[in-house]
Amino acid sequence: MAVRDAVTAPYDSATFNHDHESNISTPTPSASTRQKLHGRAFYESIGSPRMILAPMVDQSEFAWRMLTRSFMTPETSKSLLAYSPMLHSRLFGEKPKFRESHFQPLRNTLPSPPDSDHASEASKSKLYLDGNPAFDRPLVVQFCANSPDELLEAARHVQPFCDAVDLNLGCPQGIARKGHYGAFLQEEWDLVYNIINKLHRELDIPVTAKIRILETKEKTLEYAKKLLAAGASIITVHGRMRDQKGHNTGLADWSVIRYLRDNLPPETVIFANGNVLTHDDLERCLAVTGADGVMSAEGNLYDPAIFSEPPPIGKEGRDYWRGRDGKGGYRMDAVFRRYMDIIYKYVLEVPLPERRPLYLPTDPEKPSDLCPKLLERREDPEGQPPVKKQKRDKPPKVTSPNLIPMQAHLFHMLRPIVSKHTNIRDALAKCRPGDMAAFEGVLTLVEEATKAGIQEYEVTADQAESSPQMEEPTSEQKAEAETSDASSLATVARVKRPWWVCQPYVRPLPKEALEKGALSLSRKEKARLEREDGVARQAGLTPEGRTEPQALGDNSERVVDIPREGVVCG
């Protein structure tokens, strides 16, 4: 079976446990021998993808891209375009160690400056992970930059191993302000033009750009025209302004993206970004904005299967859970296992550990589902207290860009389960990059908790079916939940799943954060929010979003505030 089939076919751990292919079957030409296309011609050459995995700092690395693709069939995976994590152009161009620890297309280190041998590596057996045409294409590599020359030098290192290079013009974080890049270049249109235009003229592959909306839709349109005139083949528009971050995230404005679609030349390729909570939101975003593709960032971090269709009823297998109400999602223990298997096979290149099938309520009862090693660890010899841990040698430093993000990824994906089971949270907090045994221990705890959660659901669902049911929301109420930030309670109800199922993280609205005291606004902003709240109440809407305290665990007195209502940033 080909490597690509092993990832995109319906998941089977046995499929991952065969010998890793030492070479690829159909190498793509190096960038220097490919015909450089532009705009829609380029977009069509990579399959006209409609779903886009967003660039995220240290979070859209190879292993996570592979995990996202693994839920899709070979045919639907062609509709997914993935972006690398954002890379710092100056550091990438100047420091070999930085390149090696952030981008691994070859088994050997990328040479600098790039030469003809470097450009021809794509046809040899030295290919490793990033941009491998057997399983990691199409791929766009994103950089932050404020210098045309620095970005061009960095881009030349990666151009043999990707389909395009993207300029980050949307990062709103403080580090971007300090470093003078991302969204903090949006006032310097001439500089932005020069950066994009230099790559358009001198790079062997296309250049694209990702932006945020400006103060008005008209100004955003003029900004987009400037980027296109410079040579950008694709523009991705995040429908939030630069100051919409943290507690002030709020909703993305799809109407601005629609305005761009209606006022830019029809051949312009536009990707929309923002407000994507679930798979159903993808098509809704495309319909509302008229964009060619829709990008998901945070939605993908909490549910890496967001781009895939749910399996048909009766074909769920052990990985997918579907409730009595028809709502469902991929089980956290199943996604966790799949993520680990990708790390073992592609990154570490070792055989997969043997594991029991995941629990199903229809399985025959067993005395214990704990693995023997875990039982030995939990039993104290002859009732004696546990032996004091001995000091161990400090483990070697891990630099793999696929091992370092594992803990952060799992805290995102497992957020509902670690809020309920503090033992899982504490075990995950102790994991260190490269300590696969520790992550396996967390996986075992997640499998146990998921089994208990499913068993509890089976009991409570039977009880609920014999009790009076709540009235089903009307179609008008459902439509309002999808389009109004005031109906946050209905929005949460729409995406809510049991705590052992992957699901979106719902952020409180800015007004909710303000009431909580987590957000401080200027007088101008306070007056604007009061006017908006008055208009909403006159229309009969009563947001009143809140958070509610919940205990961190069964035996803990500590509590956290869990968002009860709100909308997600994605």
Side-chain angles (χ1 to χ4, degrees):
M1 179 179 290
V3 179
R4 187 176 183 87
D5 293 336
V7 177
T8 57
Y11 178 71
D12 179 0
S13 61
T15 303
F16 277 79
N17 211 10
H18 61 73
D19 293 335
H20 185 74
E21 288 80 358
S22 60
N23 204 344
I24 58 175
S25 56
T26 54
T28 58
S30 65
S32 60
T33 62
R34 289 183 296 198
Q35 178 187 4
K36 182 175 179 178
L37 301 176
H38 179 72
R40 188 159 294 277
F42 161 67
Y43 176 63
E44 292 173 350
S45 74
I46 59 173
S48 302
R50 301 171 73 244
M51 294 173 285
I52 298 92
L53 173 56
M56 295 171 282
V57 178
D58 297 331
Q59 295 284 275
S60 57
E61 76 289 350
F62 168 82
W64 194 258
R65 299 194 299 267
M66 291 291 282
L67 177 63
T68 300
R69 288 185 167 117
S70 73
F71 295 97
M72 309 176 76
T73 66
E75 187 62 32
T76 59
S77 66
K78 298 176 183 177
S79 297
L80 179 68
L81 169 63
Y83 281 60
S84 74
M86 184 193 76
L87 304 173
H88 193 289
S89 61
R90 180 178 59 80
L91 296 177
F92 195 91
E94 293 179 355
K95 299 182 179 296
K97 287 187 177 181
F98 184 88
R99 290 193 296 273
E100 188 174 356
S101 63
H102 288 81
F103 193 70
Q104 299 179 331
L106 302 173
R107 295 184 181 277
N108 53 314
T109 304
L110 289 175
S112 184
D115 52 28
S116 58
D117 291 336
H118 163 68
S120 65
E121 293 288 356
S123 62
K124 300 180 180 180
S125 60
K126 298 179 182 178
L127 292 174
Y128 185 32
L129 301 177
D130 294 288
N132 193 317
F135 40 71
D136 193 30
R137 293 289 185 91
L139 175 69
V140 175
V141 176
Q142 188 190 67
F143 289 98
C144 65
N146 55 27
S147 165
D149 293 332
E150 288 178 353
L151 179 55
L152 179 62
E153 181 182 358
R156 282 176 170 163
H157 284 88
V158 304
Q159 66 180 1
F161 312 108
C162 62
D163 298 283
V165 166
D166 185 76
L167 174 61
N168 183 316
L169 296 171
C171 181
Q173 304 303 326
I175 191 172
R177 179 195 295 273
K178 183 178 180 180
H180 190 219
Y181 60 80
F184 297 95
L185 297 183
Q186 66 186 28
E187 286 83 17
E188 301 181 49
W189 289 17
D190 289 340
L191 174 60
V192 170
Y193 179 96
N194 292 335
I195 294 174
I196 294 176
N197 188 249
K198 189 172 186 67
L199 267 66
H200 175 57
R201 290 184 289 107
E202 301 185 31
L203 199 64
D204 293 335
I205 58 176
V207 58
T208 66
K210 184 173 186 289
I211 67 173
R212 287 195 168 218
I213 62 175
L214 305 185
E215 293 82 0
T216 66
K217 60 184 180 180
E218 292 81 9
K219 191 171 183 179
T220 307
L221 175 62
E222 293 305 310
Y223 188 38
K225 288 180 177 179
K226 188 79 171 181
L227 305 182
L228 294 170
S233 282
I234 298 172
I235 56 170
T236 300
V237 184
H238 188 158
R240 293 182 174 89
M241 292 189 292
R242 185 171 59 194
D243 62 348
Q244 288 184 268
K245 59 185 177 180
H247 292 297
N248 194 38
T249 295
L251 281 173
D253 191 345
W254 286 355
S255 68
V256 177
I257 305 176
R258 183 78 221 190
Y259 180 79
L260 298 185
R261 172 79 284 167
D262 293 340
N263 289 276
L264 288 172
E267 65 271 17
T268 304
V269 182
I270 301 175
F271 294 158
N273 181 211
N275 291 358
V276 176
L277 285 75
T278 67
H279 180 78
D280 293 339
D281 293 330
L282 298 170
E283 289 296 333
R284 188 167 63 87
C285 180
L286 291 172
V288 173
T289 63
D292 297 278
V294 57
M295 177 180 283
S296 175
E298 194 173 75
N300 169 261
L301 290 180
Y302 291 98
D303 182 8
I306 191 171
F307 296 113
S308 65
E309 294 278 356
I313 296 176
K315 302 292 185 179
E316 294 86 358
R318 294 179 182 270
D319 287 9
Y320 192 90
W321 176 89
R322 182 173 274 117
R324 306 286 177 89
D325 58 359
K327 295 181 179 180
Y330 279 90
R331 292 167 44 167
M332 291 181 181
D333 56 352
V335 180
F336 195 163
R337 271 194 184 188
R338 190 179 297 210
Y339 182 37
M340 294 284 284
D341 287 352
I342 288 172
I343 294 290
Y344 284 128
K345 179 183 176 181
Y346 292 99
V347 180
L348 301 177
E349 298 182 297
V350 298
L352 307 188
E354 295 185 5
R355 299 191 181 102
R356 299 176 312 278
L358 294 172
Y359 169 79
L360 283 179
T362 54
D363 291 341
E365 290 291 334
K366 297 180 181 179
S368 175
D369 283 328
L370 295 178
C371 65
K373 290 185 178 180
L374 192 63
L375 284 173
E376 291 174 8
R377 202 181 313 151
R378 291 186 175 188
E379 292 175 356
D380 298 331
E382 300 180 1
Q384 299 298 317
V387 179
K388 184 178 180 180
K389 292 183 179 180
Q390 300 296 320
K391 289 186 178 180
R392 298 181 180 180
D393 294 335
K394 189 175 181 180
K397 184 178 180 180
V398 173
T399 60
S400 169
N402 294 287
L403 298 180
I404 293 175
M406 287 182 65
Q407 185 188 61
H409 274 308
L410 292 170
F411 266 118
H412 276 116
M413 188 180 72
L414 302 177
R415 188 177 189 277
I417 206 170
V418 299
S419 296
K420 184 177 180 65
H421 294 274
T422 55
N423 62 322
I424 298 177
R425 180 203 63 195
D426 295 342
L428 181 56
K430 295 176 182 177
C431 291
R432 294 295 176 262
D435 189 352
M436 299 303 290
F439 284 108
E440 285 287 344
V442 177
L443 173 58
T444 300
L445 296 176
V446 171
E447 290 172 353
E448 294 174 7
T450 301
K451 176 185 175 182
I454 293 175
Q455 290 174 334
E456 180 183 0
Y457 174 84
E458 292 296 319
V459 174
T460 56
D462 290 337
Q463 296 173 349
E465 287 181 353
S466 61
S467 304
Q469 299 295 309
M470 293 181 64
E471 185 177 349
E472 180 72 13
T474 65
S475 57
E476 291 79 7
Q477 290 172 328
K478 291 180 179 179
E480 183 182 9
E482 294 182 349
T483 57
S484 175
D485 62 342
S487 300
S488 55
L489 181 59
T491 302
V492 172
R494 178 171 67 90
V495 303
K496 183 70 174 178
R497 300 293 184 270
W499 48 263
W500 68 87
V501 174
C502 292
Q503 57 194 280
Y505 166 49
V506 179
R507 292 180 182 273
L509 292 170
K511 283 181 282 189
E512 298 168 349
L514 184 63
E515 292 176 359
K516 187 71 177 177
L519 176 65
S520 177
L521 298 179
S522 64
R523 292 180 181 178
K524 183 178 179 180
E525 285 295 314
K526 288 180 180 179
R528 181 180 62 81
L529 286 176
E530 289 174 358
R531 289 196 302 270
E532 291 178 356
D533 187 64
V535 171
R537 294 182 184 280
Q538 289 178 5
L541 302 175
T542 54
E544 297 181 358
R546 297 289 188 276
T547 58
E548 55 186 0
Q550 291 186 8
L552 284 176
D554 297 335
N555 301 318
S556 174
E557 297 181 356
R558 292 171 293 176
V559 297
V560 293
D561 288 328
I562 301 298
R564 187 179 66 193
E565 309 165 15
V567 291
V568 74
C569 165

